[in-house]
Amino acid sequence: MRCAVMGDPIAHSLSPALHHAGYAELGLDWRYDALRVGEDELTDAVAGLGPEWRGLSLTMPLKRRALLLTRAVSDRARLAGAANTLLLEDGVVVLADNTDLPGAVAAVRERYDGPVTTGTVLGGGATAASTGLALCELGATSVRLLARAPERAAATAAAIAAHPSGPHVEVLPLTGGTVVGEVVVSTVPAAAQDAGLVARCADTAVVFEALYEPWPTPLAASVGADRVLVGGLDLLVHQAVLQFEMFTGRPGPLEAMRAAGVRELGSRRPG
């Protein structure tokens, strides 16, 4: 059986290392590849897959386009307006799902058991929508988006506002916007994390940095022992475990997959 992660760029992805570690742990003779596929190429790329294909993980910029590939869309993917997971049978897509949302919830709860009443998300794309919804799942009744281009964050704001809990959602510019709440989630590039932004995040109990490379980002590096840091690898592993279970029908070996991610990242860093 075959699976893959698709996106552009894709060479940096840790997903092959994680899934192959899971296969090895459970003795599965499966293959998982990284395929460079652009947004306009997704439909044809998926249509060309054979019956041996069981699942696809999707990253930028494919998560919203993926919803157009099937009428079978999970509630959480429909709510987020994005799918990072496609389940296939005989090479045909039978479900579009979103494991980023529950993966983000699990990643936070693994490291922080305190209250979440309000949160801030830096960014306005598909990952911002999933993590913003995750804040709502964790109890937030108000979510603030700080976006580099607020006018392009309308779809993300609408997705979060549609959560069944009916949260209050507002969108402000990333530059100068105040960070509020117990948790701040960053989905913006490391290059956008200037000293002013890092300083505005200093009062949150939890910093959730969705990136895992480069690491540490300026925001992640600012977190001391008195605060909680949730990293992009935490998110990646928890959502990958859920994908693994969907694709194989077997429980995902969390610690084996996490260890593979740590090893792979370590091999890429100097020293």
Side-chain angles (χ1 to χ4, degrees), residues 45-195:
V46 174
L49 300 178
E52 72 277 17
W53 285 85
R54 181 61 179 168
L56 296 172
S57 311
L58 303 176
T59 186
M60 293 286 291
L62 307 178
K63 294 182 180 182
R64 285 179 169 151
R65 178 65 66 90
L67 295 178
L68 304 177
L69 299 182
T70 177
R71 293 183 179 179
V73 178
S74 71
D75 290 342
R76 59 196 182 195
R78 185 174 289 106
L79 185 63
N84 74 326
T85 307
L86 296 177
L87 182 65
L88 290 82
E89 292 182 1
D90 296 323
V92 177
V93 177
V94 295
L95 179 66
D97 200 359
N98 186 309
T99 62
D100 281 335
L101 199 169
V105 172
V108 172
R109 280 301 178 220
E110 182 180 35
R111 303 193 182 278
Y112 173 73
D113 61 2
V116 180
T117 62
T118 305
T120 300
V121 180
L122 310 181
T127 302
S130 297
T131 52
L133 287 164
L135 293 179
C136 298
E137 292 287 301
L138 289 163
T141 58
S142 178
V143 177
R144 176 173 291 180
L145 295 174
L146 300 185
R148 289 179 291 175
E151 69 278 4
R152 295 207 299 266
T156 293
I160 299 171
H163 188 272
S165 65
H168 171 70
V169 181
E170 60 181 340
V171 183
L172 298 173
L174 180 64
T175 303
T178 302
V179 174
V180 296
E182 297 90 354
V183 182
V184 60
V185 183
S186 177
T187 69
V188 300
Q193 300 176 14
D194 60 23

Side-chain angles (χ1 to χ4, degrees), residues 9-38:
I10 201 63
H12 69 288
S13 178
L14 291 180
S15 292
L18 301 186
H19 284 262
H20 278 134
Y23 301 156
E25 184 74 9
L26 298 186
L28 299 177
D29 185 20
W30 285 43
R31 174 178 167 183
Y32 190 104
D33 297 303
L35 304 177
R36 184 177 178 182
V37 175

